[in-house]
Amino acid sequence: MGGVKDLAKEALYQALRNPIGEALLYEGARRVPRSIQEPFFRRLAPQPKNYTRGSLRSVERRGFRLELDPADYFQWHHYFGFHDEVLETLKRLAQGSMRILDIGANIGLYALSMAQASPNAQVAAIEPNPSTFAR
């Protein structure tokens, strides 16, 4: 029985793993309360393991034009627009700051968001991984 369930899940992921299906999931996830978003849309969205590394998607998220790789969990999370409590907390803490330091900045989404929350701040984003830094 598990085999049929796994095949059905894979077929659904295949159907949703295209620009139209992904856009529908993103729009759906961002329009519903978190209580529905978390259990439903997180399971419905094709998981990072269902993507090939380097399959970049050019999207606008949180007011920024980004190229996200849904095979990377952090980027998948933001690609589908799931709530990020850490990001919300950092933005709140950054308001009114004069200096912001993001160590382990990944692709810079947190640094950009904190800079947006405190436009007069000097922001330094440090990412030690050369391939991630290049992104």
Side-chain angles (χ1 to χ4, degrees):
M1 185 70 176
V4 172
K5 184 178 176 183
D6 290 342
L7 285 173
K9 187 187 284 188
E10 183 56 34
L12 179 62
Y13 285 163
Q14 283 289 75
L16 293 173
R17 196 175 55 219
N18 65 67
I20 293 171
E22 292 166 352
L24 288 171
L25 285 169
Y26 170 74
E27 288 300 324
R30 71 186 207 97
R31 294 175 190 272
V32 299
R34 245 179 38 210
S35 60
I36 295 171
Q37 182 193 92
E38 296 298 320
F40 183 72
F41 283 94
R42 276 182 175 271
R43 288 190 187 131
L44 189 58
Q47 301 300 297
K49 68 180 181 177
N50 297 108
Y51 289 93
T52 304
R53 281 233 177 253
S55 301
L56 299 179
R57 306 292 204 271
S58 185
V59 294
E60 187 170 318
R61 298 291 186 263
R62 303 180 189 281
F64 303 110
R65 193 93 186 119
L66 303 167
E67 288 213 347
L68 299 175
D69 183 353
D72 174 275
Y73 178 78
F74 176 81
Q75 294 177 46
W76 169 86
H77 183 88
H78 290 283
Y79 179 65
F80 284 106
F82 299 130
H83 181 77
D84 186 336
E85 191 68 40
V86 171
L87 179 59
E88 297 307 315
T89 300
L90 289 172
K91 285 172 40 177
R92 190 174 63 253
L93 292 171
Q95 290 175 347
S97 296
M98 296 309 295
R99 290 186 185 84
I100 297 169
L101 180 60
D102 184 359
I103 298 177
N106 199 290
I107 61 170
L109 183 59
Y110 285 3
L112 288 168
S113 297
M114 288 186 288
Q116 193 177 52
S118 189
N120 294 324
Q122 293 177 332
V123 180
I126 299 167
E127 172 53 50
N129 182 304
S131 61
T132 304
F133 175 80
R135 296 264 337 280

